Amino acid sequence: MAADDNFFERVYAVARQIPYGKVTSYGAIAKAIGSARSARMVGWAMNNCPDDVPAHRVVNRVGLLTGKHHFDGTNLMQQLLESEGVEVEDNQIVDFEKHLWKPEVQ
């Protein structure tokens, strides 16, 4: 259990660094913490993250809001992103590359 807790905390530490108005992917976070093949586990961590983690800024590798069903309300994830200037259309980030933050580069 301690190993999972450590993994989750590393995920949260990276997610807390995502800048306002930017998004990253589950896979990018996994790569940044040295577990490149653990994108699904990052998703699992984001499902139950602390309130201070901007989970709405984490999307799948092509910019889809795959985690939106974990937010209260029908469109809360999209509304949070749009309030930061990130355009979303049909549950996908518009101009994904423009908004993509790559933690391993930072």
Side-chain angles (χ1 to χ4, degrees), residues 18-23 54-58 76-88 99:
I18 305 167
Y20 182 92
K22 294 289 183 178
V23 296
H56 65 283
R57 296 180 187 152
V58 183
L76 181 58
M77 184 177 187
Q78 180 173 336
Q79 291 168 344
L80 290 168
L81 287 167
E82 288 176 340
S83 74
E84 295 182 13
V86 178
E87 187 180 350
V88 177
H99 297 287

Side-chain angles (χ1 to χ4, degrees), residues 26 43 47 55 58-60 64-71 77:
Y26 303 105
N47 290 342
V58 183
V59 297
N60 84 353
L64 286 171
L65 310 188
T66 53
K68 74 177 196 162
H69 60 279
H70 292 284
F71 289 82
M77 184 177 187

